[in-house]
Amino acid sequence: MMKRIAVLTSGGDCSGMNATLRAVVRTGMASGLEVIGIKKGFQGLIDRLYETMTTRSVSNMLQRGGTVLQSARCKEMRTEAGLRLACDNLRGLGIDGLIVIGGDGSLNGANAIHNQGIPVVGVPASIDNDIPFTDVSLGVDTALNNIIHVVDNLKDTASSHDRAFVVEIMGRNCGYLATVATIAAGAEFCIIPEEPYDLDELCESLRRRYREGRTNSILMVAEGAGKAEDIAAKIKDRIGFETRVIVLGHYQRGGSPSVYDRVLGARFGQAAVNCLLNNETGIMVGIQCSQITKTDLQTVTSAGIRPINPIYHDLANQLSL
Ligand code: F6P
């Protein structure tokens, strides 16, 4: 019987992780479970950094970005020795089940632990939205809101100077954030790793805007497709607009979570605990068409990057330029 569970946040942090932790602790305690919080992700599991969590440990943090348990990218976890130590420590602590909140690397770690016989449930959390078998991962909505806040401001200053801004967006090898931000912020062009683009066509489109007397242009570049600086260097003498570059970087990952991410975190946290209680393990919870889904971690981790919904891709293309 499940008596003591552990939870950790791993990899790049994102807004909504605290909401998930809160839901894990509250759902767990309501079901009579003891909940152990592992600090600093898998690194804390290896180094035995942990605390018993109570409702006090998750009070007044729903509105905070980041993760109160802290996170880390743990190379050691990818080694056989690291994995063995992590599992030994979990057994030593008497942990009956583990909840891992994180992105693709973290879900790989979760799967590896499960394969060692320790029940695990994964929660998809990454601003990149590159995890398959969920419509959306935790933190994506807040990151998009962060992005459009900046781009709205950029348009003000760009318009005052007849400028084009090349905006570099995170997402690792996935162009989801850049694509959806293009729709939401009304950008003129979007370059993503999933699609080739024609530099001449891009320059001609921006030059046409300049000739028409438009006062600004926004070009989104997903980091996986190249550096904004390099793309700006290629276009700056060809488009009429004076060109500036901004790399949004880690700004995108922080900040108070949106309502969507708070509710998503609450749903994921509750679902993850219930899965452990029902012996549904070795899975990742997700959300598809507003319903909580459960997919084998093995399936999730071997499926590759989540493809961008063609509806978003076509919409971004059609509404730009
Ligand atoms: O995976 C989330 C992410 O923010 C990516 O978009 C980005 O490439 C990477 O993490 C940055 O990693 P770090 O925080 O280790 O610099």
Side-chain angles (χ1 to χ4, degrees):
M1 208 174 94
M2 205 59 63
K3 283 194 181 137
R4 179 183 259 203
I5 66 169
V7 59
L8 61 83
T9 51
S10 163
D13 67 304
C14 67
S15 295
M17 281 181 160
N18 289 329
T20 316
L21 290 172
R22 179 174 181 271
V24 166
V25 171
R26 287 180 166 248
T27 309
M29 290 184 71
S31 307
L33 295 172
E34 189 183 350
V35 183
I36 305 294
I38 309 287
K39 297 177 181 176
K40 299 182 193 283
F42 291 122
Q43 195 59 53
L45 200 49
I46 288 170
D47 298 339
R48 293 174 63 90
L49 306 173
Y50 65 92
E51 63 181 61
T52 300
M53 297 184 87
T54 64
T55 49
R56 284 287 297 278
S57 23
V58 289
S59 73
N60 203 25
M61 46 80 119
L62 189 56
Q63 70 277 23
R64 286 169 56 194
T67 158
V68 291
L69 280 181
Q70 294 193 283
S71 189
R73 299 200 187 276
C74 177
K75 287 200 184 113
E76 212 179 330
M77 187 62 193
R78 298 202 186 124
T79 67
E80 225 174 274
L83 174 63
R84 198 174 326 112
L85 192 51
C87 292
D88 286 350
N89 286 342
L90 280 168
R91 290 194 185 95
L93 284 169
I95 301 298
D96 302 311
L98 171 69
I99 295 172
V100 173
I101 304 165
D104 57 346
S106 310
L107 295 171
N108 267 305
N111 191 36
I113 292 177
H114 184 79
N115 289 339
Q116 298 298 310
I118 296 171
V120 182
V121 174
V123 173
S126 164
I127 67 163
D128 301 340
N129 214 24
D130 56 350
I131 302 167
F133 300 101
T134 183
D135 291 343
V136 70
S137 294
L138 201 64
V140 173
D141 186 66
T142 306
L144 284 167
N145 280 293
N146 288 341
I147 294 167
I148 61 155
H149 175 75
V150 177
V151 177
D152 289 351
N153 287 3
L154 290 177
K155 282 188 165 186
D156 291 342
T157 174
S159 296
S160 308
H161 291 269
D162 283 325
R163 279 177 178 161
F165 271 82
V166 184
V167 186
E168 189 176 307
I169 308 282
M170 275 188 172
R172 217 176 276 270
N173 298 314
C174 178
Y176 179 92
L177 279 187
T179 303
V180 176
T182 295
I183 299 168
E188 274 61 53
F189 215 96
C190 178
I191 300 178
I192 56 172
E194 291 88 340
E195 281 287 321
Y197 71 99
D198 184 326
L199 189 70
D200 293 335
E201 193 187 306
L202 161 63
C203 290
E204 174 47 32
S205 306
L206 295 177
R207 201 162 46 236
R208 193 180 62 238
R209 276 180 65 81
Y210 185 74
R211 281 198 304 267
E212 287 169 1
R214 309 296 184 94
T215 55
N216 73 79
S217 279
I218 302 290
L219 169 59
M220 300 282 194
V221 180
E223 64 177 352
K227 291 204 172 306
E229 196 73 55
D230 296 342
I231 289 166
K234 285 185 196 156
I235 66 170
K236 73 179 177 39
D237 298 325
R238 300 179 57 187
I239 60 172
F241 293 102
E242 200 182 333
T243 307
R244 291 287 187 274
V245 170
I246 180 166
V247 179
L248 296 193
H250 292 80
Y251 171 85
Q252 295 160 94
R253 271 203 339 224
S256 182
S258 64
V259 171
Y260 185 86
D261 276 325
R262 295 182 196 200
V263 175
L264 187 64
R267 291 188 73 184
F268 278 167
Q270 182 202 44
V273 172
N274 287 335
C275 284
L276 284 181
L277 287 168
N278 296 332
N279 275 328
E280 294 176 283
T281 64
I283 55 156
M284 178 193 82
V285 294
I287 190 152
Q288 289 176 284
C289 301
S290 302
Q291 301 298 316
I292 291 290
T293 54
K294 297 155 196 176
T295 311
D296 278 348
L297 279 168
Q298 187 60 45
T299 308
V300 173
T301 53
S302 51
I305 290 181
R306 177 182 183 279
I308 297 177
N309 185 336
I311 292 172
Y312 286 146
H313 182 250
D314 294 350
L315 191 58
N317 279 342
Q318 204 168 55
L319 299 187
S320 50
L321 290 176

